[in-house]
Amino acid sequence: MTTTLPVLVVGATGSLGGKVVDELLKRGKNVRALVRATTDASRLEKRGVEIARGDMLDLGSLVAAMNGADAVITTAAGYTRGGKNAHEIDTVGNANLAEAALFRTSGTRRSPRTSSSSSASRSSHCAREPSSTRSRAWRATRSTRAA
């Protein structure tokens, strides 16, 4: 019997992330969700989702959550919840996620990023090359694709 590696979903407790989890489970995929220590994950656990406790602002927890994952899908967005560190989640958190994917020990082969803000955008800025002032997360993600 072959065991398939899990797909790590970051943002699985959110609206868009929940839909991603639904679709992955419907397709028979093993799913692992990165969930903060203070967040209730019982709904995901009842559906057979493996829970990895961590935070996008904690690089070590991201590396641990990615360990042994086949792919990573992130829908996490701090701006949707507001709060004092929303901007940090959206910038540093996503940079940490890209950096964690660079660790060869994680075994992660793919890491697409999905967000409702980019899908709802009127412009096509997502398809263009970023300017030199864009985040290091984009550059790090691009370098993992070339590897």
Side-chain angles (χ1 to χ4, degrees):
M1 177 167 105
T2 304
T3 303
T4 59
L5 297 174
V7 174
L8 175 65
V9 179
V10 179
T13 59
S15 178
L16 182 58
K19 290 179 173 109
V20 170
V21 169
D22 291 344
E23 185 61 31
L24 289 169
L25 291 173
K26 187 168 91 174
R27 293 179 183 205
K29 302 290 185 184
N30 289 328
V31 178
R32 178 184 300 159
L34 180 75
V35 180
R36 292 180 187 193
T38 57
T39 301
D40 179 14
S42 60
R43 185 181 67 79
L44 292 169
E45 288 175 313
K46 287 176 187 171
R47 300 183 63 215
V49 174
E50 176 188 349
I51 304 302
R53 293 292 179 175
D55 191 295
M56 290 180 66
L57 299 178
D58 176 6
L59 181 60
S61 71
L62 294 174
V63 172
M66 285 183 191
N67 190 29
D70 183 50
V72 178
I73 300 172
T74 179
T75 63
Y79 78 91
T80 60
R81 295 185 354 197
K84 64 181 180 181
N85 63 348
H87 179 71
E88 189 177 20
I89 291 167
D90 291 340
T91 56
V92 175
N94 280 306
N96 283 346
L97 196 59
E99 191 171 335
L102 291 175
F103 283 96
R104 295 287 180 213
T105 58
S106 71
T108 302
R109 297 185 300 129
R110 298 168 287 193
S111 58
R113 181 176 188 274
T114 306
S115 75
S116 55
S117 64
S118 63
S119 65
S121 174
R122 288 184 178 166
S123 71
S124 61
H125 75 277
C126 295
R128 294 193 314 248
E129 292 290 315
S131 70
S132 61
T133 59
R134 298 271 170 104
S135 74
R136 68 184 174 127
W138 194 92
R139 291 189 302 276
T141 302
R142 294 293 293 172
S143 67
T144 60
R145 290 183 203 153

